[in-house]
Amino acid sequence: MNRLLFEKTGDAVFLSHLDLMRVFQRAFKRADILIWHSQGFSPRAYVSIALPLSVGIESRCEILDFDIEDGSVDLALLPEKLNRTMPAGIRVLKAYESGKKFKELTYLQTRVVLEYDKGLPENAEEAIRALFKKEQILVMKHSKNGEKEVDIKPAIQKLEVSPISTQELQLDCIASAQNPGLNPQLLVQAISRYLPDDIPDFSRISRVEIFDSQMEVFQ
């Protein structure tokens, strides 16, 4: 399987998953690279992105699979060709062959920066650290079937809290990637639910790395 490693940063974080798929489909076309298309009356270019990001989250470790129609593309030159056509914030870092399947992707490392306009609330660091040590952390999760209450604690493998300025706290989290995965936005939601005095004025979320079941970087 041919695979791309790419990043999504800046204003590009506001692109939806479907928009991002279209960006890559058009990029391949503009680079004169014929990728495999589905059959039928409305053929679609085949690209598949692992673990789609929620809107507003940045990442420098995104994975996309694709198949070349005739197999003639030099993967070493592919990033440069695609990046010529990419919008700001989307950049291909590497193109390579991989035998690993998406289902082997097991853990995510995410980083959440909590911003407080008036400075860190007193004891916020300790309170947030204690919150994520609780045996159960219930939040409301949106799904296609409506809202339901879920316990996110089992999906959290490791979480560290540290101040990075007088106005910012950082959460570094290793969490389950799928079945079920943890949307890092739920970490902020948990703070809002359990610690109303420590709700941040703004939060920035980024995906740092992805791993297999042995905590080896997934590529």
Side-chain angles (χ1 to χ4, degrees):
M1 176 64 68
N2 295 314
R3 183 164 289 172
L4 299 180
L5 173 67
F6 71 95
E7 65 180 18
K8 183 183 182 187
T9 62
D11 289 343
V13 301
F14 299 109
L15 289 173
S16 70
H17 176 62
L18 290 178
D19 288 337
L20 186 61
M21 297 281 279
R22 296 187 187 102
V23 164
F24 275 98
Q25 291 166 355
R26 292 167 183 165
F28 279 108
K29 185 175 182 179
R30 289 169 181 164
D32 293 323
I33 299 169
L34 184 61
I35 59 176
W36 183 84
H37 282 63
S38 62
Q39 305 300 310
F41 292 104
S42 300
R44 299 289 182 90
Y46 173 77
V47 291
S48 179
I49 297 176
L51 306 179
L53 283 171
S54 297
V55 173
I57 298 178
E58 72 171 22
S59 174
R60 290 178 170 80
C61 56
E62 294 303 282
I63 298 291
L64 177 144
D65 280 357
F66 64 98
D67 277 328
I68 300 296
E69 191 73 36
D70 59 7
S72 61
V73 173
D74 186 341
L75 293 178
L77 300 178
L78 188 53
E80 181 181 356
K81 289 183 177 180
L82 292 176
N83 286 335
R84 292 172 187 164
T85 72
M86 288 293 182
I90 305 296
R91 188 166 70 96
V92 177
L93 305 174
K94 182 180 179 182
Y96 55 99
E97 291 186 3
S98 177
K100 290 188 175 182
K101 300 183 182 300
F102 286 171
K103 66 181 181 181
E104 298 175 49
L105 210 165
T106 309
Y107 301 110
L108 296 175
Q109 180 184 0
T110 58
R111 183 164 295 148
V112 181
V113 176
L114 310 174
E115 297 183 2
Y116 298 89
D117 293 341
K118 297 180 180 180
L120 298 179
E122 187 176 0
N123 300 321
E125 179 184 348
E126 293 79 7
I128 293 172
R129 185 177 291 114
L131 167 62
F132 290 109
K133 289 182 178 179
K134 290 168 63 73
E135 293 185 2
Q136 185 180 63
I137 306 171
L138 300 175
V139 298
M140 296 302 297
K141 183 177 180 180
H142 298 280
S143 68
K144 295 180 180 178
N145 299 320
E147 287 189 338
K148 64 176 181 178
E149 193 172 57
V150 297
D151 181 11
I152 64 172
K153 178 64 175 183
I156 300 173
Q157 306 299 313
K158 181 181 179 182
L159 190 145
E160 297 180 350
V161 184
S162 57
I164 55 176
S165 77
T166 58
Q167 294 178 298
E168 298 172 308
L169 282 176
Q170 181 170 288
L171 312 182
D172 279 303
C173 181
I174 302 292
S176 300
Q178 48 191 341
N179 303 318
L182 176 68
N183 184 332
Q185 291 171 330
L186 296 180
L187 299 175
V188 182
Q189 186 177 324
I191 294 171
S192 299
R193 178 171 185 174
Y194 288 91
L195 303 171
D197 292 336
D198 300 324
I199 298 173
D201 295 293
F202 186 73
S203 60
R204 304 193 312 272
I205 303 175
S206 59
R207 182 179 290 174
V208 179
E209 195 55 89
I210 54 179
F211 304 96
D212 62 19
S213 61
Q214 304 302 311
M215 285 299 295
E216 298 289 338
V217 173
F218 182 93
Q219 285 194 4

